[in-house]
Amino acid sequence: MLLEVRGLTKRFMGLTAVSDVSFTVEPGEIMGIIGPNGSGKTTLLSMMAGLLAPTAGAVRWQGEEIQHLRPDVIAARGIVKTFQNPQVFAELTVFDNAMVATHLALKRSRGARRLGELVGLGRAAERTLAGQVAEALALCNLGGATRQLAGNLSYGEEKMLGLAMALMCRPRLLLLDEPASGLGREEIDNLVAVLTKVHAAGATLCIVDHKVGFLRGIARRVIALDHGEKIAEGPPEAVLENPAVIEAYLGRAHAPA
Amino acid sequence: MTQLVLGQVLNGAIIGAMYGIIALGITLTFGITGIVNFALGEFMMIGAYATYALAERFGWPYPVAVVPACLIAAAAGYLANKAFFRFTRNNLVNGLLVSIGLISILESAALLFWTATPLEMHFVLPGALRLGEVGLPKMKLVVFAVILAVIVLTYLGLARTWLGRAAFAYAQNPEAAMLMGVHTPRLETAVMLYSTGLAGLGGALYASLYSLEPAMGGVYVLKGMEAAILGGIGSLMGSLWGGVILGVIEGVGSIFLPTAFRDAYGLAILVAILLFRPAGLFGTE
Amino acid sequence: MILRLVLWSALYALPIFVRSDFLLTILIFTFIYGMLGVTLDLIFGFTGQLSMFHPAVFGVSAYMTYLLASKAGLPFWLATIPSALTAVVLAMIVGSICFKFRLKTFYFAVVTLAFAEVIRLVVLNWNSVTNGTLGLVVTGRPTVWLPGMGVVAIKGPVAWYYLTLVSLTLTVIVCARCLSSWMGRCFGAIRLNEDLARTLGIDVFRYKLASFAVGNALASFAGGLYGYYTAYIDPGYLSINQSMDVLAMVLLGGQGTLIGPIVGSLVLTSLPHVIDLRAEARAILYGAILIFTILVMPRGIVGTFNAWRARRAA
Ligand SMILES: Nc1ncnc2c1ncn2[C@@H]1O[C@H](COP(=O)(O)OP(=O)(O)O)[C@@H](O)[C@H]1O
Ligand SMILES: [Mg+2]
């Protein structure tokens, strides 16, 4: 068990966004979280990444409780989250955005020796990182846009930049919040290819999506949320046939894709 | 001793209420319009000098001079908003920088006009009220009562009117209020007039008790901000109480500790309170 | 890059061609204020934290450097070291408090300002050491150790010119090294989007503190120099107006650039020499320049120039 979510609850002034949710993430798997809009998926993921403090419950990472840790500490442990609405440094170039995201990699590989950079040492490490950044950007179909300002990217490109930045953090568990929304057909194909590659390289993935079609292709196991509660868990096909899940979607005029 | 302590408590409460008025004005302006008017202390200074000029130079009775003084301060606030502040909406740092520029201009203008020599008005209302062995100056009691009345009216106004509900909505959930777009030009103008007019009133009252210096605005805005942080950023009533607490601590503190450091006591308390309640006294997480 | 090298070389060559004491004096002040501007820009323009603490370290270091030199008998250049360390300690204390409570934008500005005020009060009232409002007359000259020449005393405008120019150059180099390393990336990330920086694993608290400490440590050298150059130190060094002057320089020259604050310093230090104004009128002018810059030319002189050049190149 890589990560365990136990009784996680989040209330926003009366509104319960996530209610007593428990599940586990096994090493090396691709798991999915589905649920209609407003069912609490983003809130759940944010708590796992330390961006929101839970009202109750615990998140255990390899046995250690992490829900009270700062987001940067959690990221350093290897849990990295992308955003549903892409977050980038709009005033920096695409390349510089990804360079910022090399922070953890550089810290892991050089530690205090980074101080040598201040007197001109360690150029080699920087060059290696720059090479890796270029690779990650090419992988995410941003190879042609490295010198552009991130603020000038299209929505889909911003989203892929967000993914590239998350990849530069070398996550062991990658939390993806609706990575496919706002992307075109071809972009989605590319996204699937990237995720497959990252997974093959050893990362565990936890993907949130409300379009079920995308997850069916890649996730082995999904959990379904509705009104903040977990209503089903199992292989995608089984969960999609679960009456509670159908009700959750159809009841709000969302046909399962 | 009781006399001394009680006197300082009253003094501190009055000064503190002035901090509170500034803090309230800053919080309200920022909350409703997204504009930082850090120069609010200067409008207090304008109100104070206007009162002085009308009462001492033109010989108007003090109560009559107070009203136009407030209007002058509010008019200055209106102009400052039209000329500068409205361009800094939703940019806190620019608002602060423009304010710093304005502080420098207004303070220096006051220096040129009135010189650095402290000015004092004649006693408006001499005499003291005796309670047992404690004597409390009448004018201080009057000023305190006026401030208290203004605060109560402000509170009622905020609770009852649309403007006030918008402000409370902001204080409770800034993001949601911002998304709902709680600002219109007229609301912005109203808030600017109110906050600067209120600061002007604070200045007019101040003038009846203490001596005036061109630099007073800068001091008060600093204390006002400390009060706002102390009370909890975004909390309207918190700003007022934060101000009163700050004022009383300074007043009472300077009885027992060296007066030269009175400006430091408030800060020490502020830091101590932040240590235990990071969101301020009345702020919510 | 080449333009910058030419400019710096020109500055170093200037006294060979120009022997006007008037001009050198203006430039010496420009360099010292430039040091304050560049270090404030590291904290404000690059890391996004509007600090009002600069006058405190500037003043404390001015007193400390002189007192250590005159009372403890340290040579000037050695006395600047404990002053810088003191600046670091002060910055760590104030910075920790502010950053721990996540005070940002104008709340940060106000609390740093309040701390600077407290330090000013201490300096003002600690008569036995600082001589209170009367201040201290600085006697003696700064001494520096030069390779091959041993310890020499600085006297005359040309020597002062080079001492301050070298100090400014070193300040700029240290800032530039920080900014071109991973540290600079962290500073920029914090300025642009603190929350995103956090999710990418950046310890925001630590890097804000680093920026604040480095900026203040370097600013302290300006204090030591200024005290000796003007030969007089008083609590006015720590006044809020200092903050305001330096801020105006940074903004006018161009925040977020290393050259901008120096350009701003040049304009604003030469202004009172070129047109004679009394102090109040000068403050009004500074205020007007500040407001004008923010509302009309937010990138400052250098930023606007760079943007213009980039547009022409494109
Ligand atoms: N910061 C917040 N404050 C108040 N309510 C929130 C906040 N964030 C989310 N919510 C509410 O929590 C519920 C779950 O939201 P979210 O987790 O974004 O759902 P999803 O990602 O599944 O669409 C929604 O009703 C939303 O309005
Ligand atoms: Mg969502």
Side-chain angles (χ1 to χ4, degrees):
Chain A
M1 191 184 334
L2 194 60
L3 181 107
E4 183 189 9
V5 170
R6 179 104 276 160
L8 213 53
T9 300
K10 179 73 192 180
R11 273 190 284 276
F12 293 111
M13 293 187 303
L15 178 120
T16 308
V18 171
S19 163
D20 198 19
V21 170
S22 304
F23 63 93
T24 62
V25 183
E26 304 300 329
E29 77 167 332
I30 300 184
M31 74 153 315
I33 300 176
I34 61 167
N37 273 329
S39 57
K41 306 180 296 294
T42 299
T43 309
L44 178 61
L45 228 51
S46 300
M47 286 191 286
M48 290 160 72
L51 300 175
L52 278 177
T55 314
V59 181
R60 282 203 193 79
W61 171 249
Q62 299 179 308
E64 177 206 9
E65 293 210 356
I66 58 164
Q67 71 274 8
H68 54 270
L69 295 180
R70 292 197 315 262
D72 55 290
V73 177
I74 292 182
R77 303 274 162 102
I79 307 178
V80 178
K81 176 183 172 301
T82 67
F83 292 88
Q84 183 176 348
N85 296 313
Q87 298 271 320
V88 296
F89 302 108
E91 292 161 53
L92 299 183
T93 63
V94 168
F95 182 80
D96 287 342
N97 265 272
M99 271 316 272
V100 172
T102 62
H103 182 74
L104 284 173
L106 187 68
K107 187 174 171 189
R108 278 190 206 115
S109 70
R110 294 186 57 84
R113 278 179 301 157
R114 279 178 299 169
L115 288 171
E117 271 191 37
L118 299 180
V119 290
L121 301 171
R123 287 281 144 213
E126 285 280 312
R127 263 198 302 278
T128 320
L129 284 177
Q132 288 165 359
V133 161
E135 259 172 54
L137 290 176
L139 189 65
C140 293
N141 261 352
L142 290 165
T146 50
R147 296 277 148 228
Q148 262 187 49
L149 289 188
N152 296 341
L153 295 180
S154 71
Y155 185 85
E157 287 172 324
E158 274 192 359
K159 208 134 181 179
M160 290 310 282
L161 176 56
L163 177 61
M165 286 160 77
L167 294 182
M168 286 318 298
C169 297
R170 303 288 151 70
R172 295 179 59 199
L173 172 62
L174 183 56
L175 309 173
L176 298 143
D177 196 350
E178 307 209 8
S181 73
L183 264 54
R185 249 308 1 120
E186 273 166 39
E187 288 175 313
I188 292 186
D189 290 344
N190 180 246
L191 173 69
V192 172
V194 173
L195 293 182
T196 315
K197 188 160 178 201
V198 173
H199 179 239
T204 306
L205 308 183
C206 175
I207 307 173
V208 160
D209 212 312
H210 86 274
K211 275 193 238 154
V212 192
F214 173 68
L215 277 180
R216 185 147 51 177
I218 51 176
R220 282 294 171 72
R221 191 166 64 92
V222 300
I223 64 170
L225 295 183
D226 187 33
H227 291 299
E229 285 174 36
K230 186 171 102 174
I231 53 169
E233 174 167 0
E237 289 74 21
V239 168
L240 285 179
E241 278 159 24
N242 186 314
V245 176
I246 294 173
E247 152 96 44
Y249 274 94
L250 290 182
R252 301 188 197 177
H254 271 287
Chain B
M1 198 65 203
T2 340
Q3 160 78 59
L4 197 58
V5 173
L6 221 60
Q8 281 302 330
V9 169
L10 181 62
N11 246 334
I14 292 174
I15 301 270
M18 307 261 178
Y19 300 160
I21 284 179
I22 301 285
L24 174 75
I26 293 176
T27 309
L28 200 62
T29 313
F30 178 60
I32 297 184
T33 65
I35 291 172
V36 174
N37 180 1
F38 190 69
L40 208 48
E42 301 310 307
F43 297 94
M44 177 177 170
M45 184 266 289
I46 290 175
Y49 274 98
T51 311
Y52 178 87
L54 293 173
E56 299 287 313
R57 300 282 153 91
F58 297 135
W60 296 15
Y62 173 78
V64 180
V66 168
V67 179
C70 294
L71 294 180
I72 289 171
Y78 177 82
L79 290 178
N81 184 45
K82 282 284 170 266
F84 310 127
F85 283 116
R86 66 197 171 105
F87 302 109
T88 68
R89 187 182 299 129
N90 294 337
N91 188 329
L92 278 68
V93 171
N94 280 5
L96 176 61
L97 295 171
V98 165
S99 302
I100 293 177
L102 203 57
I103 291 174
S104 176
I105 292 175
L106 292 174
E107 193 177 314
S108 310
L111 268 171
L112 282 177
F113 210 71
W114 296 102
T115 74
T117 322
L119 296 178
E120 268 184 66
M121 287 183 47
H122 288 99
F123 276 119
V124 176
L125 183 65
L129 206 67
R130 299 215 68 86
L131 289 170
E133 47 195 273
V134 186
L136 295 173
K138 280 186 190 154
M139 190 59 206
K140 286 192 177 170
L141 291 172
V142 170
V143 166
F144 191 64
V146 172
I147 293 181
L148 214 59
V150 167
I151 287 172
V152 169
L153 285 177
T154 304
Y155 184 80
L156 290 179
L158 287 175
R160 298 275 158 81
T161 63
W162 180 70
L163 186 102
R165 279 199 297 273
F168 272 120
Y170 177 81
Q172 254 149 36
N173 190 346
E175 277 158 33
M178 213 88 107
L179 285 177
M180 292 188 300
V182 189
H183 76 72
T184 62
R186 201 184 301 165
L187 184 60
E188 185 180 298
T189 307
V191 170
M192 273 292 172
L193 286 173
Y194 180 74
S195 62
T196 51
L198 191 62
L201 175 68
L205 295 173
Y206 183 92
S208 69
L209 295 177
Y210 309 104
S211 58
L212 308 183
E213 288 173 55
M216 61 184 273
V219 176
Y220 271 78
V221 85
L222 200 58
K223 295 303 174 61
M225 283 308 307
E226 285 178 24
I229 298 175
L230 185 68
I233 293 166
S235 158
L236 296 176
M237 287 303 128
S239 329
L240 282 171
W241 287 119
V244 173
I245 293 169
L246 196 62
V248 172
I249 289 170
E250 283 180 2
V252 176
S254 51
I255 306 175
F256 303 105
L257 298 159
T259 334
F261 292 101
R262 64 175 287 156
D263 290 335
Y265 308 140
L267 190 71
I269 300 288
L270 176 66
V271 170
I273 285 181
L274 283 177
L275 280 172
F276 293 105
R277 283 191 60 94
L281 279 179
F282 301 89
T284 44
E285 177 61 8
Chain C
M1 190 63 213
I2 293 171
L3 180 65
R4 253 178 282 169
L5 262 170
V6 170
L7 280 175
W8 283 105
S9 314
L11 282 179
Y12 274 92
L14 188 95
I16 302 172
F17 306 107
V18 183
R19 272 305 165 101
S20 147
D21 282 2
F22 174 72
L23 191 66
L24 291 187
T25 307
I26 289 179
L27 285 172
I28 290 166
F29 278 115
T30 299
F31 297 154
I32 299 179
Y33 272 106
M35 291 168 73
L36 287 178
V38 169
T39 52
L40 178 64
D41 202 27
L42 181 76
I43 303 167
F44 170 54
F46 288 98
T47 320
Q49 310 302 311
L50 181 46
S51 166
M52 296 273 174
F53 197 61
H54 255 49
V57 287
F58 179 71
V60 167
S61 300
Y63 278 100
M64 258 191 89
T65 307
Y66 172 63
L67 290 172
L68 284 172
S70 66
K71 299 263 160 68
L74 287 182
F76 167 81
W77 56 280
L78 256 185
T80 57
I81 307 289
S83 309
L85 291 178
T86 309
V88 170
V89 171
L90 288 175
M92 289 286 191
I93 295 171
V94 173
S96 302
I97 291 173
C98 293
F99 300 138
K100 195 105 242 158
F101 299 124
R102 303 224 182 148
L103 298 179
K104 277 182 227 165
T105 56
F106 74 119
Y107 297 105
F108 176 70
V110 166
V111 174
T112 49
L113 183 58
F115 274 108
E117 267 298 285
V118 170
I119 293 175
R120 189 181 69 86
L121 287 174
V122 173
V123 167
L124 187 65
N125 291 293
W126 198 355
N127 279 311
S128 58
V129 174
T130 64
N131 202 22
T133 14
L134 295 177
L136 298 169
V137 174
V138 176
T139 51
R141 301 179 194 291
T143 51
V144 289
W145 179 86
L146 290 175
M149 292 169 70
V151 175
V152 292
I154 299 294
K155 58 171 187 265
V158 176
W160 265 107
Y161 179 89
Y162 280 111
L163 176 64
T164 49
L165 179 55
V166 169
S167 306
L168 175 66
T169 313
L170 290 176
T171 306
V172 171
I173 288 175
V174 173
C175 290
R177 298 293 342 177
C178 286
L179 290 168
S180 67
S181 73
W182 92 99
M183 233 189 245
R185 287 198 295 262
C186 292
F187 293 168
I190 290 170
R191 167 173 52 95
L192 293 169
N193 189 339
E194 213 177 295
D195 293 324
L196 180 56
R198 244 182 225 112
T199 63
L200 296 173
I202 294 171
D203 187 341
V204 169
F205 175 80
R206 178 186 296 185
Y207 284 97
K208 278 183 179 175
L209 206 54
S211 165
F212 197 57
V214 171
N216 279 301
L218 292 174
S220 82
F221 292 105
L225 286 171
Y226 198 85
Y228 269 88
Y229 186 62
T230 57
Y232 175 66
I233 308 172
D234 74 354
Y237 277 51
L238 294 93
S239 79
I240 297 176
N241 292 342
Q242 291 279 3
S243 244
M244 143 91 207
D245 290 357
V246 177
L247 201 55
M249 290 170 189
V250 172
L251 289 166
L252 178 64
Q255 53 168 306
T257 67
L258 285 176
I259 302 301
I262 304 171
V263 173
S265 166
L266 176 64
V267 174
L268 291 183
T269 35
S270 43
L271 209 61
H273 291 277
V274 180
I275 31 175
D276 195 20
L277 287 173
R278 50 187 295 191
E280 292 86 12
R282 208 185 66 182
I284 292 180
L285 188 63
Y286 271 37
I289 288 176
L290 196 63
I291 295 178
F292 172 84
T293 314
I294 292 152
L295 296 183
V296 184
M297 199 174 59
R299 293 196 222 203
I301 297 172
V302 171
T304 309
F305 174 73
N306 284 345
W308 171 77
R309 232 175 29 163
R311 227 177 314 124
R312 219 183 44 164

